[in-house]
Amino acid sequence: MFILHCTNAAGESVRLRYDPHASALTNQDGSPVLAGKAEPGRPPPFEDAVRVSPSQPGTKRTDPVVLKIQLGLGCNYSCSYCNQASQVDSMALTRTADAQSFLNDLDNWLEGAPDQIEFWGGEPLLYFRKLQVLVPELDRRFPDAEFSMVTNGSLLTQEIVDFIAAYDIRITLSHDGPGQHVRGADPFDDPQRFGFIRALWTERKPRQRMIFSSVLTPENCDPTAMRQWFARKLDDEDVVTSFEGVVATHDDRALAGPGIWSSEQYERLRTSVAKSFETGEALRMPALLERARNFLKFIEQGTPSSSMGQKCGMDRSDHLAVDLHSNVLTCQNTGATSKHGLGSALRMEEVQLDTSTHWAYREHCSHCPVLQLCGGSCMYLDGDQFAQSCENEFQFGLGILDGVMRRAFGLKLERIEGDVRRPVMRKTIAIAAVH
């Protein structure tokens, strides 16, 4: 249980009680702040999430709802905070011919039709010839499946734009807007590349099949500034921008700089996110809007934390990531020749997800006021990498919580009282050799 210390529009102090495990937000007298829709005494049924850990491995199914196909981890960029960089050497090398072998293997293990099929890199357009083999056949086999892909947009050509349109692939163009310099060259600065981006946006927009997505970093953490940057560049006030999330630290490179925030930068992150809800800008950004809506829905329904899995969904048995050799992976950001190679889809009964830890097995997650907004950060990180990623998610979550309080209840969150526990990074102390 936490006490949310807030102020209202008149500057008066307001205290609310919040239990993230029961999704209960109440006044001091115990009355609900948000009236629930469930029939009194008969809350909706909730199914407990499977809690995966190295000692209690998860399983994977041959009838996935979400199928993520890892084409390769190669990329033409070298972003300083890339969550795949440390995994590149562990990817299984594939050729274009392996795309056809993958399709042949599907007949031997895949049952039913996935609802979603995602194509992943690295940069997936580096593997366009593989996509030309995979997509038409998968479209023939699974005509009702939703196809999607995340790309940095720098390799677009007219051929690729036409291909995307022909197979109605939902596109997320990953770009940091005013903070793109942290990643590398900006395709918006290249007239030809920008022309293809604009053409793709023009074609995809009417069907709501494209968004621009950014990562919140210490130097680039204002959602409003990001959205307005894209609106100016595309001369389209209705451009759809969202977020891949707040920067995580998946390797020592990220821990050495781009994943580390100062207290002033955290304050700027929290304030800018909260203000975006006040102005309404957040309501135009799917990632922020979805988290806010889910938070309020959880409170309305009294959703227990026991029903909550990891935010990425890859702890679920019906979410599956595979490479073109049919190797099952922890997630699409990992390689098969490391510990994240979980076995072969051709022998799915032997596959065990033993590389991940459900949030319930992390003490600080069970004592976190933004658990429902975070979802446990990255499920396979540990040590300093997890501790820093968790802190970044925590600060981002505080900004969203403050924003929801402002937008939904007219209250500004000032501080949180309660047993908040945070992971602590290890400290290394150099000791001089004694001669």
Side-chain angles (χ1 to χ4, degrees):
M1 178 69 71
F2 299 98
I3 304 298
L4 307 184
H5 292 262
C6 308
T7 53
N8 61 20
E12 300 167 329
S13 177
V14 177
R15 295 197 302 172
L16 303 177
R17 296 181 181 274
Y18 175 54
D19 180 352
H21 295 291
S23 292
L25 183 66
T26 63
N27 296 298
Q28 285 293 93
D29 62 5
S31 61
V33 173
L34 189 63
K37 293 182 178 179
E39 183 179 339
R42 296 185 62 184
F46 297 102
E47 184 177 344
D48 287 347
V50 174
R51 298 183 175 186
V52 172
S53 73
S55 61
Q56 295 183 336
T59 59
K60 294 294 179 178
R61 288 167 30 182
T62 56
D63 59 340
V65 172
V66 177
L67 176 62
K68 302 188 179 191
I69 301 175
Q70 172 56 257
L71 305 171
L73 294 174
C75 186
N76 60 322
Y77 278 18
S78 56
C79 302
S80 59
Y81 57 76
C82 177
N83 60 2
Q84 297 179 337
S86 63
Q87 292 290 318
V88 171
D89 291 340
S90 66
M91 70 175 177
L93 299 178
T94 58
R95 303 168 300 163
T96 301
D98 292 318
Q100 185 58 54
S101 298
F102 173 80
L103 291 170
N104 296 339
D105 281 347
L106 281 182
D107 293 330
N108 297 317
W109 68 266
L110 183 63
E111 300 176 0
D115 291 343
Q116 299 177 44
I117 299 178
E118 304 174 4
F119 303 99
W120 287 88
E123 169 48 51
L125 294 184
L126 277 177
Y127 306 100
F128 182 56
R129 299 309 169 202
K130 295 177 182 177
L131 287 168
Q132 288 178 303
V133 175
L134 292 168
V135 174
E137 178 60 18
L138 291 171
D139 182 60
R140 185 189 68 81
R141 296 188 192 188
F142 312 115
D144 295 327
E146 161 102 350
F147 288 178
S148 64
M149 180 170 61
V150 179
T151 174
N152 61 38
S154 65
L155 299 178
L156 288 171
T157 63
Q158 190 59 54
E159 179 186 20
I160 293 173
V161 171
D162 292 342
F163 182 84
I164 289 169
Y167 293 100
D168 198 21
I169 302 172
R170 180 177 175 83
I171 295 296
T172 297
L173 199 144
S174 183
H175 187 289
D176 279 358
Q180 178 67 13
H181 63 277
V182 176
R183 293 192 176 196
D186 187 347
F188 279 72
D189 291 338
D190 182 317
Q192 183 180 42
R193 299 302 181 199
F194 178 52
F196 290 131
I197 291 173
R198 182 187 288 276
L200 187 63
W201 169 245
T202 300
E203 189 280 325
R204 298 277 79 195
K205 175 186 175 181
R207 292 171 50 78
Q208 300 181 335
R209 303 291 288 166
M210 182 175 175
I211 65 171
F212 295 85
S213 186
S214 306
V215 175
L216 293 160
T217 61
E219 296 181 3
N220 188 42
C221 61
D222 185 343
T224 299
M226 288 186 186
R227 200 196 71 79
Q228 292 177 349
W229 186 94
F230 285 104
R232 288 193 300 270
K233 285 288 186 178
L234 291 160
D235 192 23
D236 185 350
E237 186 58 30
D238 295 324
V239 65
V240 183
T241 64
S242 194
F243 300 100
E244 296 167 41
V246 66
V247 63
T249 49
H250 284 78
D251 57 28
D252 292 340
R253 183 184 178 192
L255 276 173
I260 304 296
W261 301 60
S262 67
S263 57
E264 292 79 12
Q265 288 168 331
Y266 277 140
E267 172 64 24
R268 189 158 60 247
L269 170 68
R270 295 192 302 268
T271 300
S272 62
V273 170
K275 283 185 176 179
S276 72
F277 281 92
E278 279 189 315
T279 63
E281 284 282 338
L283 308 185
R284 308 180 73 170
M285 305 175 200
L288 295 180
L289 179 59
E290 182 179 1
R291 291 201 194 200
R293 281 179 171 172
N294 284 340
F295 178 76
L296 294 173
K297 179 181 177 181
F298 292 158
I299 292 174
E300 266 193 340
Q301 297 183 346
T303 306
S305 64
S306 59
S307 67
M308 190 176 76
Q310 294 297 123
K311 68 170 185 174
C312 65
M314 289 306 295
D315 59 331
R316 294 176 49 167
S317 60
D318 60 358
H319 283 45
L320 182 68
V322 294
D323 65 16
L324 293 184
H325 291 307
S326 299
N327 295 311
V328 179
L329 311 171
T330 298
C331 76
Q332 71 277 5
N333 296 319
T334 59
T337 65
S338 69
K339 66 179 182 179
H340 294 290
L342 308 180
S344 173
L346 296 168
R347 297 180 296 279
M348 197 73 79
E349 71 281 358
E350 299 176 8
V351 170
Q352 289 192 322
L353 177 61
D354 59 359
T355 52
S356 304
T357 301
H358 185 273
W359 64 262
Y361 297 114
R362 302 187 194 265
E363 178 190 17
H364 51 274
C365 288
S366 295
H367 294 266
C368 179
V370 296
L371 171 65
Q372 297 279 18
L373 290 164
C374 168
S377 191
C378 179
M379 67 183 190
Y380 73 75
L381 290 182
D382 54 22
D384 286 356
Q385 292 176 1
F386 180 85
Q388 185 63 56
S389 296
C390 175
E391 186 62 28
N392 297 348
E393 289 277 6
F394 177 68
Q395 298 292 336
F396 181 37
L398 288 177
I400 298 175
L401 178 60
D402 186 10
V404 172
M405 299 303 294
R406 297 185 191 195
R407 186 78 189 185
F409 307 115
L411 300 173
K412 181 181 178 182
L413 180 64
E414 302 290 351
R415 63 187 178 90
I416 299 176
E417 175 187 346
D419 186 13
V420 180
R421 303 182 189 180
R422 307 297 307 130
V424 178
M425 295 182 67
R426 296 185 295 268
K427 297 185 182 299
T428 303
I429 302 175
I431 301 177
V434 178
H435 297 283

